[in-house]
Amino acid sequence: MAQRVTTQPLLLLLGVAAVWAARPRTELLNVCMDAKHHKEKPSPEDELHKQCSPWKKNSCCFTNTSEEAHKDISYLYKFNWNHCGHMTPACKRHFIQDTCLYECSPNLGPWIQEVNQSWRKERILDVPLCKEDCQQWWEDCRTSYTCKSNWHKGWDWSSGYNRCPAGAACLPFHFYFPTSAALCGEIWSHSYQASNYSRGSGRCIQMWFDPAQGNPNEEVARFYALAMSAGAVPQGPEPLLLSLALMLQLWLLG
């Protein structure tokens, strides 16, 4: 009898292939980005603030960074969450958690890319966020307002913090982000993508986790790093095919 084939492994393979093809970095595990506020190497940080505390055993962020992540228009990036009126607390907590993940996680190595920007030398690209995290983020922000779909660029910074550009209308989030996939993928220039995998699958990064149960993103980073490293030798199509074959094997065994 023929085995039923789902789209999940194919999407997973294509995602890894895309990241692998553009990846110049060799260190993929337990690493920090070369960016504005990150440590050079991850280390314990016992006093991480509130929502950033899950990373205190091994963190790329300092305590003061974690404190600033919880403030409006903090010194980190002078970003105003309330650019279209008051952002609801339910919505804002996801942006705080997003900031904590970006600043503190040492498990984003497989998705780090070099960039030529004045404020950072590396960024993350297409990190597969678990579908529940994207969905809840989208649902909790539906009643908040914004004026842009890409928050990385196009703001009016003349006041020292971001304001809506001329002619941009403040509308409910779902106007600019009609789906959870649109929110996760577009808001930070494809830093994230919405995964079809669920929390606990070992195939997607969790923004939210209980540190008492360990950090599930360590397993996810190892999985993708293994697949990418398998194809990180000679140039040409063979490494990519080897990487895809290994990914399929790992998925079937898992």
Side-chain angles (χ1 to χ4, degrees):
M1 181 182 295
Q3 184 178 359
R4 183 183 178 188
V5 178
T6 68
T7 59
Q8 279 194 333
L10 178 59
L11 291 171
L12 182 63
L13 300 183
L14 292 175
V16 172
V19 173
W20 176 87
R23 178 67 178 169
R25 190 186 243 266
T26 55
E27 295 180 35
L28 303 178
L29 298 176
N30 197 38
V31 294
C32 301
M33 271 178 282
D34 186 353
K36 190 172 184 179
H37 301 291
H38 290 71
K39 296 179 181 178
E40 184 176 344
K41 295 181 179 179
S43 61
E45 199 74 25
D46 293 337
E47 302 299 324
L48 289 187
H49 194 59
K50 293 184 179 179
Q51 287 181 225
C52 294
S53 62
W55 288 276
K56 67 181 181 180
K57 289 185 178 180
N58 194 35
S59 174
C60 286
C61 67
F62 296 100
T63 297
N64 61 336
T65 301
S66 72
E67 292 171 347
E68 291 294 319
H70 291 73
K71 297 179 181 178
D72 294 330
I73 318 183
S74 76
Y75 84 83
L76 295 180
Y77 303 103
K78 299 294 184 183
F79 198 91
N80 179 22
W81 305 118
N82 301 312
H83 52 266
C84 276
H86 180 66
M87 178 182 282
T88 66
C91 179
K92 188 174 294 183
R93 72 188 188 102
H94 291 277
F95 286 98
I96 294 171
Q97 198 70 10
D98 156 45
T99 304
C100 290
L101 175 67
Y102 173 80
E103 299 289 347
C104 303
S105 177
N107 308 123
L108 302 176
W111 301 278
I112 294 176
Q113 301 286 323
E114 292 181 358
V115 290
N116 182 21
Q117 296 177 327
S118 60
W119 55 285
R120 61 180 180 180
K121 295 181 179 179
E122 292 181 321
R123 63 162 294 185
I124 49 174
L125 181 67
D126 290 332
V127 174
L129 284 189
C130 295
K131 63 181 181 181
E132 296 93 339
D133 285 7
C134 284
Q135 184 66 29
Q136 195 62 54
W137 190 355
W138 183 71
E139 290 179 359
D140 286 347
C141 289
R142 283 177 62 85
T143 58
S144 290
Y145 283 69
T146 186
C147 57
K148 288 172 50 39
S149 59
N150 187 334
W151 287 16
H152 256 157
K153 56 187 180 181
W155 297 101
D156 174 1
W157 290 95
S158 60
S159 62
Y161 58 88
N162 62 301
R163 294 191 299 183
C164 293
C170 285
L171 296 167
F173 258 58
H174 61 78
F175 177 86
Y176 289 98
F177 307 108
T179 64
S180 58
L183 172 61
C184 278
E186 295 174 17
I187 195 163
W188 299 126
S189 300
H190 302 285
S191 292
Y192 304 123
Q193 62 175 328
S195 174
N196 285 328
Y197 283 86
S198 297
R199 299 163 60 85
S201 67
R203 303 296 182 264
C204 59
I205 292 291
Q206 294 183 203
M207 280 211 308
W208 305 84
F209 61 89
D210 179 2
Q213 305 299 318
N215 184 342
N217 296 329
E218 294 176 357
E219 177 189 352
V220 179
R222 283 195 299 268
F223 177 82
Y224 284 89
L226 176 61
M228 293 164 64
S229 297
V233 283
Q235 301 295 319
E238 291 83 3
L240 179 57
L241 293 175
L242 176 61
S243 180
L244 295 179
L246 177 60
M247 287 291 295
L248 184 57
Q249 225 176 359
L250 291 171
W251 178 80
L252 290 173
L253 289 174

